[in-house]
């Protein structure tokens, strides 16, 4: 065991994933706590009846992952039902919390199957794709200690620019600059704060990365500037696939320099995504990554200071070869008497085209001159795409902290960007999934994150939007995003605009708190969002809570995740001061004693529970983060005599990173009757 | 308004659906409470902020249907996510519960869209497929009064045989008699009660209705008899489509007599389902229906006394014409450079084949000699298929009460059969959906119902099975059913067999109660399962409860619907006696006062809350319903001095119906220290 309570065990010849920073020497012998399988690529570990298992980062189901089977395999799948085994990110890290407390990180860049009490109720069984991997065993007195040690192993978290704590509006797609202008107007004219508008794939010319449609976004730099003059950041999407088109320089450069992934015969691997036929930049090839990263300069030169990387699992709609075979298969039934099993085969031929392992097995990377099959390093693709941009930003624009987040990820990518939780749905159950993923992602270092608020796929309702907003205002990445063909869900489109205005403003009033607690978590390898189980050790009720979170050091939240509710049951783990915000300036308070309580929460209110001896700072809201006036800082405190709060502010940017200014404040008084002084 | 508080308003020339029994004369003028649209096929109604809307029968989402858009359209769709608009049954009945209380039944046999506060928060907007329909407006002081009046309009509910209250095991499929025998052995040898085993589609010869595979089920009558000697009923499935096969007499008779649905040119309409190409019996043609119904005799003659009618929306995998066009479409891309929009078109061509409106529009019924397009009467198909069987049973086997339930349904079908809740999933959210559909279906007269316990699609876990069982033991139709390719979920396959045994036995101990309350609800047009809102009027907490139910007159249930839970919050609407059953004979009790409580519930226990002054009867469990010994009857009472309970027993069968024997019992004493006497 090394000095930090972490032991590393190497099996076979692992591929270097860059998940771990610095790194430690491998121990000899076998890992503690687990029993390695004879196949040299699996292990088991017994669970006691009441043991909890945390981790898995981006995954479905509860904070306690026990009772299901998960696979770390970056997957483009928008149906996040509770039985899905993989989402977009691959985070093979778990914490067993029982009589023994320990963490396990299986550092392996392809599929790892975690059967956590699924096949056998009291056993965790882990199977790794190949016998080449590292296992890190992380000891700790508590799950939080395990998390902090794991985080110290994998490095400090990316810090997003301050403006990215403002509210951000997206849709697939605002097709023209006029569309974008309308959205900005919609927010500004209705006195609804806003800091960013997103450009989904349709801003591009024929979906070509690093192009902007001249027709739909004429004089783009001027338009970016126009938005900026209104304190709006435009955030364009970048997709992984590069359109094959003669004359398109990004394609031609990649082709001519051998920067694309190859097929087994060394030709460029071709698949289809939004632009039609594309090649995939080989982000595992250092030179190719560097080349692609520098391309973001085209947009930063136009004034862009934020990006989201998408489709980088990589998602594949079909490859030429597989589609050809599928068409042949279907065509072969022409004129024949198609039986039912023929029909299923026909249907499967078409349905099986997307993200097929056949395609992933036909794609090769050039890693230091060696051909490496994609299907052995699948989970590193999105990580390295995003790293390529992040590495470039330091050179392109050292005077800016450029916003970056990605859909696909692997452990370690938290050092260069955030992630969003992928293409969710306008489902009530996805409010809760949003909540449950926050701490799980924090465990893996992903602090700048959030779900597509109000839901990406499917149609929302006003009530869903209000209730989701009540959680969304605590997400560092607070973005409303929706898919093509779904009901419009910009907040100014709803009937009860006053409620949306009040809650959006409340977000802005809370930004000093949220940003400070985010910075604190990033700097100290802490979690900004904690399950109650992590704080109230030994409290069996707290340990079972799956729909409340501690946000930073001062507060607990308990959003309503059900339709037609008048409130919800809340477990209060210590005496707390509930603040029911109707708006930043209008609220009522109530003291709750430790125990279970039914709390009435109208859908135009947000309740925040302030912990004992803690204080919650607020400022006057503003139309955007740039206009927040920190001199309006005030506190609501729960019996705090001299409660300490460390306020963090972004005081500039150096070498592409935010410079953080801190003030330690002591708060005196109680509830809203407080004063504070700098200490 | 007629004497029962019901008014009928006729628009255009409605098709006679047979939903209503007897019937009443139409009123002149316009319906109260609603505003008819100028298009003569829509109406609106304002909702107050706190109004609730109940009804819709088989549908997703909560008991309060407000905040979504629903369509009554019998749909074969196994993904019951919360945003689906239609499931298998079509039940266009709603109750508005607010300052005004009234029910609306839109009697129309095709699509009716109910926008219940989806587009506009405070408006219900209903759009009917064509301007020919009846609207029944049902007045009432309370939602329950509206339900009882509506039920008096549509007629008495089907009463299932007593044995059908035993536990029933199903799977797609037990392929051979040996498989079935193994299942029976699995239950009997493990001392797990069981009354029925299901035969899914594979018992048939090439999926031909009313055939039994000689190879896999040799000497079927003898096998049925063998099962019966072990007190096991075998329940075969019957599908709507009749396989086209020369020499298959059912097909030939249907063809030769013109009993099948036609295409627009008068030829038999051909589509493909499990058997491959099929024709659909024209159940709207009285002679065809009578002919098909009598075919069940082949199986009743073999000793069968229960059936489930499936695929009767009717589900269509593809029709010859549409498939041909889809194949042509796909084949047309051969050798071409397929762009992304081409690809989506190609994919949609294949994906759009199932249950297409093109097919439903190409199918015709013969109604009293007149050709009626299926797409105008779609929702009547399953109803009339099931009615054809039910009508036949009275002739075929008047000495038996034959079990019958169906997948598709329309209002009125509750007179001839039960329904199951369709092809759900092994999802935690589907435990709650099971719970929420029970009262909604009861409102429409469907009393013999239940969900596929533990979930049909996807893989279950032991914890899910236990928690679902805790609700399942209260479902009249208590069936464990799972799909091809999913994890085995017969209860003897799990690790904690003792818990499954205890809970299954508890079901049998509760059968006298459940059967009595079921009979009572059927005879008095009452609901066996009531939302708390229906009973505790004016209690705002009770009115908002979506995950607890009153079951009969004595008890409330509050099952755990979340994984890894140690219990749940329960709203106690009046002082109640909680009985925590570890088994029928081992339980602890606790008094809860009115209010919100967190109730700890281990996953091997079931808690029942007995209402004040009420008593819950139990008998000794047995291996099957036939062996239940009513002389072991005992009670657990909540402060009941002279609490009255009406015990119902099946005392035989006359004219195909159960003869019910009743005893009124007065219970004295408290908790388990009770005695009773016949009064």
């Amino acid at each position: 065991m090394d000095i930090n309570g972490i032991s590393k065990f190497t099996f076979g010849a692992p591929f270097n994933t860059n998940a771990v920073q610095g790194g430690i020497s491998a121990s000899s012998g076998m890992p503690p706590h687990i029993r390695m399988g004879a196949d040299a690529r699996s292990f088991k570990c017994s669970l006691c009846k009441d043991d909890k298992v945390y981790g898995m980062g981006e995954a479905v189901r509860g904070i306690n992952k026990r009772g299901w089977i998960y696979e770390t395999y970056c997957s483009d799948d928008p149906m996040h039902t509770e039985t899905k085994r993989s989402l977009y990110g691959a985070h093979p890290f778990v914490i067993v919390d029982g009589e023994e407390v320990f963490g396990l990180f299986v550092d392996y860049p392809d599929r790892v199957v975690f059967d956590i009490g699924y096949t056998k109720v009291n056993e965790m069984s882990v199977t790794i794709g190949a016998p080449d991997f590292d296992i890190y065993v992380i000891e700790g007195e508590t799950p939080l200690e395990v998390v902090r040690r794991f985080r110290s192993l994998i490095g400090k978290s990316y810090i997003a620019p301050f403006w990215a704590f403002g509210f951000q509006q997206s849709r697939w797609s605002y097709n023209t600059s006029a569309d974008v202008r309308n959205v900005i107007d919609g927010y500004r004219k209705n006195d609804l704060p806003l800091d960013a508008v997103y450009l989904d794939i349709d801003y591009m010319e024929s979906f070509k990365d690093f192009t902007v449609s001249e027709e739909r976004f004429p004089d783009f730099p001027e338009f970016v500037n126009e938005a900026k003059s209104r304190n709006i950041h435009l955030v364009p999407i970048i997709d992984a696939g590069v359109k094959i088109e003669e004359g398109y320089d990004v394609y031609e450069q990649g082709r001519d320099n051998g920067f694309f992934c190859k097929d087994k015969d060394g030709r460029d691997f071709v698949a289809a995504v939004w632009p039609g036929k594309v090649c995939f930049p080989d982000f595992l090839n250092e030179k190719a990554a560097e080349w692609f990263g520098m391309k973001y300069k085209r947009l930063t030169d136009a004034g862009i200071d934020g990006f989201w990387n998408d489709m980088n699992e990589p998602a594949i709609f079909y490859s030429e070869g597989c589609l050809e075979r599928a068409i042949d298969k279907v065509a072969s039934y022409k004129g024949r008497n198609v039986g039912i099993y023929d029909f299923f085969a026909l249907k499967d031929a078409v349905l099986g085209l997307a993200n097929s392992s056949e395609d992933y097995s036909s794609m090769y990377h050039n890693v230091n001159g060696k051909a490496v099959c994609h299907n052995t390093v699948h989970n590193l693709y999105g990580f390295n795409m995003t790293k390529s941009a992040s590495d470039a930003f330091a050179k392109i624009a050292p005077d800016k902290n450029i916003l970056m987040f990605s859909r696909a990820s692997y452990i370690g990518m938290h050092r260069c960007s955030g992630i969003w939780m992928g293409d969710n749905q306008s489902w009530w159950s996805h409010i809760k999934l949003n909540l449950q993923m926050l701490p799980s992602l924090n465990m893996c270092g992903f602090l700048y994150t959030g779900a597509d608020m109000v839901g990406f796929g499917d149609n929302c309702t006003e009530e869903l939007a209000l209730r989701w907003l009540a959680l969304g205002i605590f997400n560092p990445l607070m973005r409303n995003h929706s898919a093509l063909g779904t009901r419009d869900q910009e907040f100014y489109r709803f009937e009860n605009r006053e409620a949306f205005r009040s809650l959006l403003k409340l977000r802005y009033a809370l930004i000093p708190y949220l940003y400070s607690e985010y910075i604190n978590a990033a700097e100290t390898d802490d979690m900004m969002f904690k399950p109650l189980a992590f704080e109230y050790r030994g409290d069996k009720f707290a340990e079972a809570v799956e729909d409340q979170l501690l946000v930073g050091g001062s507060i607990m939240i308990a959003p309503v995740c059900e339709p037609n509710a008048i409130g919800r049951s809340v477990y209060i783990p210590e005496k707390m001061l509930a603040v029911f915000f109707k708006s930043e300036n209008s609220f009522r308070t109530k003291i709750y004693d430790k125990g279970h309580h039914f709390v009435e929460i109208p859908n135009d209110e947000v309740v925040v529970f302030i912990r004992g001896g803690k204080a919650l700072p607020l400022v006057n809201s503003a139309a955007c983060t740039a206009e927040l006036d920190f001199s309006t800082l005030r506190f609501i405190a729960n019996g705090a005599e001299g409660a300490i709060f460390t306020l963090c502010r972004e005081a500039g940017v150096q070498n592409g990173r935010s410079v953080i200014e801190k003030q330690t404040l002591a708060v005196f008084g109680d509830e809203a009757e407080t004063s504070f002084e700098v200490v």
Side-chain angles (χ1 to χ4, degrees), chain A residues 13-34:
Chain A
F15 187 91
N16 179 14
T17 63
N18 281 315
V20 165
Q21 219 180 22
I24 56 175
S25 322
S27 304
S28 58
M30 283 291 158
H33 304 296
I34 60 177

PDB file of all heavy atoms in Angstrom, chain A residues 13-34:
ATOM      1  N   ALA A  13      -0.373  -7.019 -19.520  1.00  0.00           N
ATOM      2  CA  ALA A  13       0.314  -5.823 -20.021  1.00  0.00           C
ATOM      3  C   ALA A  13      -0.725  -4.766 -20.359  1.00  0.00           C
ATOM      4  O   ALA A  13      -1.176  -4.655 -21.496  1.00  0.00           O
ATOM      5  CB  ALA A  13       1.119  -6.190 -21.268  1.00  0.00           C
ATOM      6  N   PRO A  14      -1.096  -3.975 -19.354  1.00  0.00           N
ATOM      7  CA  PRO A  14      -2.184  -3.001 -19.581  1.00  0.00           C
ATOM      8  C   PRO A  14      -1.800  -1.916 -20.578  1.00  0.00           C
ATOM      9  O   PRO A  14      -0.642  -1.516 -20.658  1.00  0.00           O
ATOM     10  CB  PRO A  14      -2.397  -2.377 -18.200  1.00  0.00           C
ATOM     11  CG  PRO A  14      -1.718  -3.275 -17.230  1.00  0.00           C
ATOM     12  CD  PRO A  14      -0.611  -3.950 -17.971  1.00  0.00           C
ATOM     13  N   PHE A  15      -2.792  -1.471 -21.303  1.00  0.00           N
ATOM     14  CA  PHE A  15      -2.659  -0.305 -22.171  1.00  0.00           C
ATOM     15  C   PHE A  15      -2.657   0.925 -21.275  1.00  0.00           C
ATOM     16  O   PHE A  15      -3.426   1.004 -20.318  1.00  0.00           O
ATOM     17  CB  PHE A  15      -3.859  -0.267 -23.127  1.00  0.00           C
ATOM     18  CG  PHE A  15      -3.760   0.798 -24.178  1.00  0.00           C
ATOM     19  CD1 PHE A  15      -3.173   0.507 -25.406  1.00  0.00           C
ATOM     20  CD2 PHE A  15      -4.254   2.084 -23.959  1.00  0.00           C
ATOM     21  CE1 PHE A  15      -3.077   1.488 -26.389  1.00  0.00           C
ATOM     22  CE2 PHE A  15      -4.158   3.053 -24.934  1.00  0.00           C
ATOM     23  CZ  PHE A  15      -3.570   2.765 -26.154  1.00  0.00           C
ATOM     24  N   ASN A  16      -1.809   1.889 -21.572  1.00  0.00           N
ATOM     25  CA  ASN A  16      -1.756   3.090 -20.733  1.00  0.00           C
ATOM     26  C   ASN A  16      -2.922   4.019 -21.052  1.00  0.00           C
ATOM     27  O   ASN A  16      -2.965   4.655 -22.094  1.00  0.00           O
ATOM     28  CB  ASN A  16      -0.430   3.822 -20.943  1.00  0.00           C
ATOM     29  CG  ASN A  16      -0.360   5.089 -20.100  1.00  0.00           C
ATOM     30  OD1 ASN A  16      -1.161   5.296 -19.187  1.00  0.00           O
ATOM     31  ND2 ASN A  16       0.598   5.944 -20.422  1.00  0.00           N
ATOM     32  N   THR A  17      -3.854   4.099 -20.132  1.00  0.00           N
ATOM     33  CA  THR A  17      -5.077   4.874 -20.396  1.00  0.00           C
ATOM     34  C   THR A  17      -4.921   6.354 -20.064  1.00  0.00           C
ATOM     35  O   THR A  17      -5.772   7.153 -20.439  1.00  0.00           O
ATOM     36  CB  THR A  17      -6.241   4.356 -19.530  1.00  0.00           C
ATOM     37  OG1 THR A  17      -5.883   4.563 -18.157  1.00  0.00           O
ATOM     38  CG2 THR A  17      -6.502   2.875 -19.769  1.00  0.00           C
ATOM     39  N   ASN A  18      -3.884   6.695 -19.302  1.00  0.00           N
ATOM     40  CA  ASN A  18      -3.735   8.062 -18.789  1.00  0.00           C
ATOM     41  C   ASN A  18      -4.828   8.449 -17.808  1.00  0.00           C
ATOM     42  O   ASN A  18      -5.058   9.624 -17.559  1.00  0.00           O
ATOM     43  CB  ASN A  18      -3.702   9.095 -19.929  1.00  0.00           C
ATOM     44  CG  ASN A  18      -2.341   9.137 -20.589  1.00  0.00           C
ATOM     45  OD1 ASN A  18      -1.328   9.153 -19.907  1.00  0.00           O
ATOM     46  ND2 ASN A  18      -2.327   9.116 -21.908  1.00  0.00           N
ATOM     47  N   ALA A  19      -5.487   7.462 -17.250  1.00  0.00           N
ATOM     48  CA  ALA A  19      -6.495   7.766 -16.234  1.00  0.00           C
ATOM     49  C   ALA A  19      -5.824   8.324 -14.990  1.00  0.00           C
ATOM     50  O   ALA A  19      -6.304   9.274 -14.372  1.00  0.00           O
ATOM     51  CB  ALA A  19      -7.279   6.507 -15.879  1.00  0.00           C
ATOM     52  N   VAL A  20      -4.706   7.696 -14.647  1.00  0.00           N
ATOM     53  CA  VAL A  20      -4.018   8.036 -13.413  1.00  0.00           C
ATOM     54  C   VAL A  20      -2.943   9.066 -13.704  1.00  0.00           C
ATOM     55  O   VAL A  20      -2.284   8.994 -14.735  1.00  0.00           O
ATOM     56  CB  VAL A  20      -3.422   6.751 -12.806  1.00  0.00           C
ATOM     57  CG1 VAL A  20      -2.393   7.070 -11.742  1.00  0.00           C
ATOM     58  CG2 VAL A  20      -4.538   5.879 -12.254  1.00  0.00           C
ATOM     59  N   GLN A  21      -2.788  10.019 -12.798  1.00  0.00           N
ATOM     60  CA  GLN A  21      -1.764  11.022 -13.005  1.00  0.00           C
ATOM     61  C   GLN A  21      -0.615  10.756 -12.042  1.00  0.00           C
ATOM     62  O   GLN A  21      -0.841  10.511 -10.862  1.00  0.00           O
ATOM     63  CB  GLN A  21      -2.335  12.412 -12.761  1.00  0.00           C
ATOM     64  CG  GLN A  21      -1.802  13.398 -13.761  1.00  0.00           C
ATOM     65  CD  GLN A  21      -2.359  14.779 -13.548  1.00  0.00           C
ATOM     66  OE1 GLN A  21      -2.813  15.117 -12.459  1.00  0.00           O
ATOM     67  NE2 GLN A  21      -2.323  15.585 -14.583  1.00  0.00           N
ATOM     68  N   GLY A  22       0.603  10.829 -12.580  1.00  0.00           N
ATOM     69  CA  GLY A  22       1.736  10.500 -11.738  1.00  0.00           C
ATOM     70  C   GLY A  22       1.859   8.998 -11.664  1.00  0.00           C
ATOM     71  O   GLY A  22       2.618   8.378 -12.400  1.00  0.00           O
ATOM     72  N   GLY A  23       1.052   8.408 -10.867  1.00  0.00           N
ATOM     73  CA  GLY A  23       1.052   6.950 -10.824  1.00  0.00           C
ATOM     74  C   GLY A  23       1.901   6.430  -9.701  1.00  0.00           C
ATOM     75  O   GLY A  23       2.739   7.127  -9.139  1.00  0.00           O
ATOM     76  N   ILE A  24       1.667   5.202  -9.376  1.00  0.00           N
ATOM     77  CA  ILE A  24       2.390   4.558  -8.287  1.00  0.00           C
ATOM     78  C   ILE A  24       2.876   3.209  -8.779  1.00  0.00           C
ATOM     79  O   ILE A  24       2.397   2.692  -9.790  1.00  0.00           O
ATOM     80  CB  ILE A  24       1.484   4.390  -7.043  1.00  0.00           C
ATOM     81  CG1 ILE A  24       0.212   3.598  -7.400  1.00  0.00           C
ATOM     82  CG2 ILE A  24       1.132   5.741  -6.456  1.00  0.00           C
ATOM     83  CD1 ILE A  24      -0.645   3.301  -6.174  1.00  0.00           C
ATOM     84  N   SER A  25       3.821   2.635  -8.087  1.00  0.00           N
ATOM     85  CA  SER A  25       4.368   1.333  -8.485  1.00  0.00           C
ATOM     86  C   SER A  25       3.387   0.232  -8.119  1.00  0.00           C
ATOM     87  O   SER A  25       2.640   0.347  -7.141  1.00  0.00           O
ATOM     88  CB  SER A  25       5.674   1.047  -7.759  1.00  0.00           C
ATOM     89  OG  SER A  25       6.426   2.211  -7.640  1.00  0.00           O
ATOM     90  N   ALA A  26       3.436  -0.807  -8.924  1.00  0.00           N
ATOM     91  CA  ALA A  26       2.545  -1.931  -8.670  1.00  0.00           C
ATOM     92  C   ALA A  26       3.054  -2.731  -7.475  1.00  0.00           C
ATOM     93  O   ALA A  26       4.262  -2.873  -7.273  1.00  0.00           O
ATOM     94  CB  ALA A  26       2.452  -2.821  -9.900  1.00  0.00           C
ATOM     95  N   SER A  27       2.122  -3.210  -6.672  1.00  0.00           N
ATOM     96  CA  SER A  27       2.473  -4.092  -5.563  1.00  0.00           C
ATOM     97  C   SER A  27       2.580  -5.508  -6.086  1.00  0.00           C
ATOM     98  O   SER A  27       2.011  -5.854  -7.121  1.00  0.00           O
ATOM     99  CB  SER A  27       1.387  -4.057  -4.493  1.00  0.00           C
ATOM    100  OG  SER A  27       1.166  -2.740  -4.072  1.00  0.00           O
ATOM    101  N   SER A  28       3.293  -6.317  -5.373  1.00  0.00           N
ATOM    102  CA  SER A  28       3.297  -7.741  -5.732  1.00  0.00           C
ATOM    103  C   SER A  28       2.160  -8.400  -4.958  1.00  0.00           C
ATOM    104  O   SER A  28       1.506  -7.785  -4.123  1.00  0.00           O
ATOM    105  CB  SER A  28       4.651  -8.349  -5.377  1.00  0.00           C
ATOM    106  OG  SER A  28       4.880  -8.150  -4.004  1.00  0.00           O
ATOM    107  N   GLY A  29       1.932  -9.654  -5.256  1.00  0.00           N
ATOM    108  CA  GLY A  29       0.869 -10.371  -4.552  1.00  0.00           C
ATOM    109  C   GLY A  29      -0.488 -10.060  -5.147  1.00  0.00           C
ATOM    110  O   GLY A  29      -0.591  -9.508  -6.250  1.00  0.00           O
ATOM    111  N   MET A  30      -1.486 -10.433  -4.401  1.00  0.00           N
ATOM    112  CA  MET A  30      -2.855 -10.293  -4.900  1.00  0.00           C
ATOM    113  C   MET A  30      -3.574  -9.162  -4.159  1.00  0.00           C
ATOM    114  O   MET A  30      -3.278  -8.887  -2.999  1.00  0.00           O
ATOM    115  CB  MET A  30      -3.612 -11.611  -4.703  1.00  0.00           C
ATOM    116  CG  MET A  30      -3.229 -12.666  -5.729  1.00  0.00           C
ATOM    117  SD  MET A  30      -3.838 -12.173  -7.393  1.00  0.00           S
ATOM    118  CE  MET A  30      -2.736 -13.139  -8.437  1.00  0.00           C
ATOM    119  N   PRO A  31      -4.523  -8.528  -4.833  1.00  0.00           N
ATOM    120  CA  PRO A  31      -5.238  -7.419  -4.195  1.00  0.00           C
ATOM    121  C   PRO A  31      -6.021  -7.885  -2.968  1.00  0.00           C
ATOM    122  O   PRO A  31      -6.567  -9.005  -2.976  1.00  0.00           O
ATOM    123  CB  PRO A  31      -6.206  -6.940  -5.282  1.00  0.00           C
ATOM    124  CG  PRO A  31      -5.793  -7.598  -6.543  1.00  0.00           C
ATOM    125  CD  PRO A  31      -5.006  -8.803  -6.191  1.00  0.00           C
ATOM    126  N   PRO A  32      -6.073  -7.063  -1.942  1.00  0.00           N
ATOM    127  CA  PRO A  32      -6.896  -7.415  -0.793  1.00  0.00           C
ATOM    128  C   PRO A  32      -8.380  -7.281  -1.130  1.00  0.00           C
ATOM    129  O   PRO A  32      -8.728  -6.707  -2.159  1.00  0.00           O
ATOM    130  CB  PRO A  32      -6.487  -6.371   0.257  1.00  0.00           C
ATOM    131  CG  PRO A  32      -6.036  -5.192  -0.547  1.00  0.00           C
ATOM    132  CD  PRO A  32      -5.442  -5.757  -1.802  1.00  0.00           C
ATOM    133  N   HIS A  33      -9.247  -7.787  -0.287  1.00  0.00           N
ATOM    134  CA  HIS A  33     -10.713  -7.650  -0.347  1.00  0.00           C
ATOM    135  C   HIS A  33     -11.370  -8.498  -1.439  1.00  0.00           C
ATOM    136  O   HIS A  33     -12.568  -8.784  -1.346  1.00  0.00           O
ATOM    137  CB  HIS A  33     -11.149  -6.184  -0.586  1.00  0.00           C
ATOM    138  CG  HIS A  33     -10.619  -5.220   0.419  1.00  0.00           C
ATOM    139  ND1 HIS A  33     -10.958  -5.258   1.745  1.00  0.00           N
ATOM    140  CD2 HIS A  33      -9.752  -4.179   0.287  1.00  0.00           C
ATOM    141  CE1 HIS A  33     -10.333  -4.285   2.385  1.00  0.00           C
ATOM    142  NE2 HIS A  33      -9.589  -3.620   1.534  1.00  0.00           N
ATOM    143  N   ILE A  34     -10.619  -8.842  -2.498  1.00  0.00           N
ATOM    144  CA  ILE A  34     -11.267  -9.520  -3.631  1.00  0.00           C
ATOM    145  C   ILE A  34     -10.566 -10.849  -3.916  1.00  0.00           C
ATOM    146  O   ILE A  34      -9.446 -11.074  -3.481  1.00  0.00           O
ATOM    147  CB  ILE A  34     -11.252  -8.633  -4.895  1.00  0.00           C
ATOM    148  CG1 ILE A  34      -9.816  -8.285  -5.312  1.00  0.00           C
ATOM    149  CG2 ILE A  34     -12.060  -7.359  -4.653  1.00  0.00           C
ATOM    150  CD1 ILE A  34      -9.707  -7.472  -6.592  1.00  0.00           C
TER     151      ILE A  34
END
